[in-house]
């Protein structure tokens, strides 16, 4: 795949970039390693000052970088501005909380003595150079939610971004340098996917994090495993959205629309499978379908647009094949199911609601990465759990209920990294983010995320036998 900005609303190639050669990659690796040797000893206060400065710059440039993101991958420009603001918020959160999150941890005095120590504690030390392989769908947020904690922990970073968002990738590399981080602390590598293995195998790279597809995750994890290097993987999702009889059905349906079409439906944590109790199925389906059909599809730079184009032509083709397979096998499209009229240019697809899903349909097992929702009718909470778990993924989930016993059942039994009640899944700096099953492993954000790329070190002092 060429490294290029291709406007998904028009299909026009706006700018192309040359991939880095071997000598340039070597210079970046050497700079990252050299920077780590000194940056790792900086105080939290200095790291926080630099990260807050990066947040200041991002906030002042919010409108410009939002337009760049929209032009490169098609998200509505209002959503792009919100993404930039969220990134600045996360930077400030980690700048404030990292010292407490990485503070030394002390066992009880009795446990220390029992181990034969006069003093013992755990210290979180940085690992080194971390390679980040990031996707295009949230081209700022996916990077910052790694970079902010990694830099606050004292690591340095190398970013291999998706090849269709090179301008956003370059902006990120320059942002941290302009904020005052030492040269080499955070660098963008404009390289193709074929160059990732050699970078990851380099002994100066200590660990890797990847957000993306399952095949990409398998590839990076296999190389890292061969090199015995730590990885964090956040892969696909096919999140359930369960609506039970006690729910506020109208509010659940309104929220469901946003949960499905956020980021033009191209979000790992977007709700994709809508599992509705039979007592409220008809009411939910009518409200949900009506609202999905009313969404405005069009130019993502138009402030009134609800749904822009898919990011790539191949992405739209993949989505069309899933929908066509389902319809051919008996599913009904209550709305959408095709490209919208009047969009001869660009990679647009109509918001779609499918009912009558069966287990022989690909869309039941595969992630639909676009504005396509599938409906399931269930008769009980137990059946809702069974359908929710009937997927290879386990990223997050949404449940609408006011019944306390149902809450406990869903918390106990749903196989996912998150369960959001009476609202839609969202990421926040203070809350851990990640999944189970084929959605990956490890966690981003919160204290769990900042500790993923730390050397969790036991420090033990022997008792003095002569004391």
């Amino acid at each position: 795949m060429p490294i290029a900005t291709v406007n998904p609303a028009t299909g026009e190639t706006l700018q192309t970039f040359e991939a880095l050669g071997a000598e340039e990659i070597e210079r970046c690796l050497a700079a990252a390693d050299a920077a780590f040797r000194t940056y790792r000893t900086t105080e939290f206060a200095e790291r926080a000052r630099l990260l807050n400065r990066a947040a200041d710059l991002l906030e002042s440039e919010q409108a410009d970088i939002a337009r760049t993101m929209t032009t490169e991958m098609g998200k509505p420009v209002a959503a792009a501005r919100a993404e930039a603001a969220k990134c600045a918020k996360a930077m400030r959160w980690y700048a404030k909380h990292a010292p407490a999150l990485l503070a030394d941890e002390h066992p009880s005095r009795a446990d220390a003595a029992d181990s034969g120590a006069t003093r013992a504690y755990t210290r979180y030390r940085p690992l080194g150079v971390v390679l980040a392989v990031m996707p295009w769908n949230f081209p700022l947020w996916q990077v910052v939610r790694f970079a902010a904690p990694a830099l606050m922990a004292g690591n340095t970073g190398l970013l291999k971004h998706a090849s269709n968002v090179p301008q956003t990738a370059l902006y990120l590399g320059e942002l941290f340098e302009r904020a005052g981080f030492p040269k080499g602390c955070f660098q963008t590598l404009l390289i193709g996917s074929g160059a990732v293995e050699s970078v990851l195998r380099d002994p100066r790279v200590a660990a890797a994090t990847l957000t993306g597809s399952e095949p990409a995750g398998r590839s990076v994890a296999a190389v890292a495993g061969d090199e015995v290097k730590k990885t964090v993987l956040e892969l696909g999702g096919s999140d359930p959205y369960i609506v039970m009889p006690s729910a506020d059905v109208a509010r659940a349906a309104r929220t469901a629309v946003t949960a499905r079409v956020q980021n033009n439906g191209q979000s790992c944590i977007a709700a994709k499978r809508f599992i509705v109790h039979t007592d409220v199925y008809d009411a939910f389906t009518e409200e949900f379908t009506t609202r999905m059909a009313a969404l405005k599809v069009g130019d993502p730079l138009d402030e009134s647009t609800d749904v822009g184009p898919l990011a790539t032509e191949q992405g739209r083709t993949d989505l069309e094949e899933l929908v066509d397979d389902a319809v051919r096998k008996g599913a009904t499209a209550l709305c959408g199911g095709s490209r919208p009229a009047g969009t001869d240019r660009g990679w647009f697809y109509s918001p779609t609601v499918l009912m009558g899903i069966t287990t022989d349909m690909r869309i039941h097992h595969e992630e639909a990465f676009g504005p396509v929702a599938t409906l399931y009718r269930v008769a009980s909470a137990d059946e809702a759990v069974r359908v929710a778990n009937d997927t290879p993924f386990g990223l997050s989930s949404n449940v609408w209920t006011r019944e306390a016993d149902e809450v406990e059942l869903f918390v106990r039994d749903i196989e996912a990294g998150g369960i959001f009640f009476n609202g839609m899944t969202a990421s926040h700096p203070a809350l851990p983010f990640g999944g189970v099953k084929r959605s990956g492993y490890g966690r981003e954000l919160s204290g769990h995320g900042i500790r993923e790329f730390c050397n969790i070190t036991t420090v033990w002092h022997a008792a003095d036998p002569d004391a």
Side-chain angles (χ1 to χ4, degrees), residues 279-293:
D279 290 354
V280 293
Y281 180 90
D282 291 341
F284 176 89
T285 298
E286 180 179 2
E287 180 78 7
F288 179 51
T289 302
T290 298
R291 289 180 175 274
M292 286 283 283

Side-chain angles (χ1 to χ4, degrees), residues 328-349:
R328 188 168 56 250
K329 293 174 179 175
T332 299
L334 299 179
C335 68
S338 63
R339 302 177 186 184
T343 55
D344 297 332
R345 298 197 310 159
W347 303 312
F348 296 90
Y349 196 79

